[in-house]
Amino acid sequence: MIKYINKNLTIEKIKVQDIAKKYGTPIYCYSYEQLKKNINNFKESFNSFSPLVCFAIKSNTNVNLIGEIRKLGLGADVVSIGELMIALKAGIDPKKIVFSGVGKTSDEISYAINKKILLINAESRSEINEIEKIAKSKKKIVNIGIRLNPNTDAKTLKQISTGKKENKFGVDEKTFFNLVNYTKLSKNINLKCLSVHIGSQILDYKPYEKMLKVVDKIIKKSNHKFEFIDLGGGMGISYDTNSKKLNYQKYNIAIKKFLENHKSKIIFEPGRSIIGNVGSLISKVIYIKQNDKKDFIILDAAMNDLMRPALYGANHRTIPAIKKNQTSKKVYEFVGPICESTDKFTTLKKFQKLKEKDLVVMCDVGAYGMSLSSNYNVRPKPVEILIKGSRINVIKKRQKLEDLI
């Protein structure tokens, strides 16, 4: 919960100025109240069919945050052995864990089988063969899903589209039917799930409706009873005040209609919609570099701390820590200190006039903020804190240069 109180930007009940003074900058701050609100809202939106909600660990890998997410009733969607280990360390029940991804290694498959997780969602014939081989050697029966590529355009950025036929994810219709038939002959594989995921940052329910129609048709043709239908995630959030919100109510109606013909348990894999607006990045202005047409606002946060703008042109709402009445006549370009031209966050007109050492906050960085961060230019990763009312918990310490060198 981020808002201005008496011109001071606060996260829950604590001033951004006070946070920066105590912990330094840059700093990732998470609001527990916002996290709780998002999870409850998500569950209530689909409570008519009580889905299994598996948080997409890739969106935020902080073990302490995932522990809070577990306490609020969610499972986990993982895409690597490391993410699976983090989910288990956070206390998530293995029977609420789904393992996705196109390139699971033998070690990863073996580890997942040993931990008795709910499902391994396979994405190719070769992967199913590998799961079968390992299951046979362990004398176990393994529950799997097959990920279908529904060739559905999610109307999102091409870099985060996953459900079109040119994307690397899932299998086409013909291959899907062949794999369903193949698993029926296996003594070590139990096909329990049809899985789909069409992309990320989706703000329109219509691609989901289209996806459900494809899945409905394919289930009927496959003549197989699927205990689970994993609809993936991809639900978008508003990164600015003008963008529309995904209509959960209409998506809910489409799923209920789908479930009239299929008595399956629905699995969701939300990440961004749970954690995106929970996080804020506080940064300090190091220098203001004046130019003819614009001023460069050089921050102490950089693309290694927040990669999304450099990676796919994402834009995060950027606001001052203290509201003042003066407006800059020049355009401000907010940049970091890294030696790359793409180390740039946003360009804004009519921003509040800034001076060096002022604080600014980049909003909605909870998803793919820290999880995409790096040590590029030998820069230590920021501290992460969780704010619960008037309490601050350090949930990951700031890295020290000695640890990196």
Side-chain angles (χ1 to χ4, degrees):
M1 303 288 195
I2 186 165
K3 62 181 177 183
Y4 285 102
I5 300 173
N6 298 328
K7 298 192 176 180
N8 282 287
L9 192 62
T10 63
I11 298 171
E12 293 200 19
K13 294 175 183 173
I14 303 175
K15 290 179 190 174
V16 162
Q17 289 282 120
D18 294 342
I19 296 167
K21 196 173 178 181
K22 186 168 183 183
Y23 296 99
T25 53
I27 179 169
Y28 270 92
C29 302
Y30 303 99
S31 161
Y32 178 78
E33 273 309 308
Q34 190 66 56
L35 176 67
K36 190 176 171 184
K37 185 182 172 185
N38 291 350
I39 290 174
N40 289 340
N41 177 48
F42 193 93
K43 288 200 281 195
E44 282 165 20
S45 298
F46 302 104
N47 65 2
S48 60
F49 53 86
S50 301
L52 171 60
V53 184
C54 295
F55 175 67
I57 301 286
K58 66 177 177 286
S59 65
N60 193 303
T61 54
N62 187 293
V63 71
N64 292 296
L65 264 183
I66 295 160
E68 298 292 348
I69 288 165
R70 170 191 62 82
K71 287 177 201 166
L72 292 164
L74 270 53
D77 161 54
V78 303
V79 294
S80 71
I81 191 169
E83 287 189 4
L84 176 50
M85 286 173 167
I86 280 176
L88 294 168
K89 190 175 179 185
I92 291 178
D93 179 353
K95 290 296 171 205
K96 283 183 165 186
I97 297 177
V98 175
F99 198 158
S100 309
V102 298
K104 304 174 199 78
T105 65
S106 304
D107 286 346
E108 288 180 313
I109 292 165
S110 182
Y111 185 84
I113 291 171
N114 288 343
K115 294 298 175 185
K116 299 177 182 168
I117 68 168
L118 179 67
L119 288 167
I120 300 174
N121 280 340
E123 301 217 16
S124 64
R125 172 68 178 263
S126 298
E127 187 185 342
I128 289 174
N129 289 343
E130 192 62 24
I131 294 168
E132 187 177 32
K133 188 175 88 180
I134 295 166
K136 194 174 179 181
S137 72
K138 292 178 184 290
K139 298 187 170 76
K140 288 186 177 180
I141 297 168
V142 177
N143 296 331
I144 72 159
I146 299 173
R147 179 164 171 179
L148 171 75
N149 185 319
N151 194 24
T152 302
D153 187 354
K155 308 290 183 194
T156 187
L157 285 172
K158 71 171 195 247
Q159 296 98 322
I160 49 177
S161 166
T162 60
K164 288 155 76 176
K165 64 184 177 185
E166 64 261 33
N167 300 135
K168 71 179 179 182
F169 299 97
V171 296
D172 61 24
E173 189 176 324
K174 186 182 171 190
T175 309
F176 184 83
F177 294 136
N178 288 338
L179 292 178
V180 170
N181 292 331
Y182 176 76
T183 57
K184 284 176 183 171
L185 304 171
S186 174
K187 291 175 182 159
N188 297 95
I189 281 178
N190 191 0
L191 177 59
K192 286 203 160 196
C193 178
L194 181 153
S195 164
V196 281
H197 181 80
I198 56 171
S200 193
Q201 186 49 14
I202 300 166
L203 294 167
D204 185 359
Y205 70 94
K206 286 175 184 168
Y208 286 124
E209 272 189 337
K210 192 178 171 190
M211 171 189 85
L212 284 165
K213 283 174 185 165
V214 173
V215 171
D216 174 62
K217 186 185 79 174
I218 285 189
I219 292 173
K220 284 171 181 167
K221 276 173 82 176
S222 75
N223 200 25
H224 185 84
K225 172 78 177 78
F226 292 98
E227 188 178 329
F228 300 100
I229 304 295
D230 185 341
L231 295 176
M235 297 85 168
I237 63 168
S238 300
Y239 279 105
D240 57 57
T241 46
N242 303 321
S243 67
K244 64 176 183 176
K245 289 182 179 177
L246 176 64
N247 191 325
Y248 281 178
Q249 196 181 356
K250 292 202 169 163
Y251 189 18
N252 176 55
I253 290 164
I255 295 169
K256 279 169 74 177
K257 191 179 171 188
F258 168 84
L259 288 172
E260 286 170 12
N261 299 318
H262 308 285
K263 303 292 175 249
S264 302
K265 176 90 170 169
I266 297 293
I267 298 174
F268 283 127
E269 299 169 359
R272 188 192 314 270
S273 52
I274 300 296
I275 202 75
N277 66 352
V278 171
S280 307
L281 178 60
I282 304 171
S283 182
K284 186 165 69 181
V285 178
I286 306 173
Y287 300 120
I288 297 176
K289 186 177 176 180
Q290 297 188 339
N291 206 306
D292 282 349
K293 293 188 177 173
K294 62 185 173 186
D295 285 353
F296 291 99
I297 306 298
I298 302 168
L299 303 175
D300 62 358
M303 65 188 277
N304 74 295
D305 304 306
L306 181 62
M307 177 64 118
R308 294 187 73 251
L311 190 62
Y312 33 66
N315 195 38
H316 288 269
R317 195 162 51 95
T318 301
I319 52 179
I322 298 174
K323 257 191 180 174
K324 292 173 186 167
N325 296 328
Q326 251 186 319
T327 305
S328 171
K329 289 174 184 164
K330 288 173 86 175
V331 172
Y332 279 168
E333 188 163 301
F334 291 83
V335 300
I338 277 178
C339 292
E340 296 280 349
S341 295
T342 50
D343 185 23
K344 176 172 95 170
F345 296 111
T346 189
T347 304
L348 298 170
K349 292 176 183 174
K350 295 181 182 173
F351 197 83
Q352 175 180 301
K353 195 166 176 61
L354 291 172
K355 60 182 192 298
E356 291 170 2
K357 295 192 170 55
D358 278 355
L359 297 173
V360 295
V361 175
M362 284 172 267
C363 304
D364 309 317
V365 298
Y368 309 102
M370 269 301 278
S371 67
L372 276 173
S373 66
S374 74
N375 294 120
Y376 188 43
N377 281 195
V378 196
R379 287 173 54 87
K381 291 186 185 183
V383 61
E384 291 177 272
I385 63 168
L386 176 65
I387 300 174
K388 274 188 175 185
S390 55
R391 272 197 359 257
I392 296 178
N393 300 320
V394 175
I395 54 173
K396 198 160 198 181
K397 290 178 181 175
R398 188 182 303 280
Q399 281 184 332
K400 292 178 180 173
L401 277 171
E402 304 90 86
D403 300 333
L404 298 183
I405 298 164

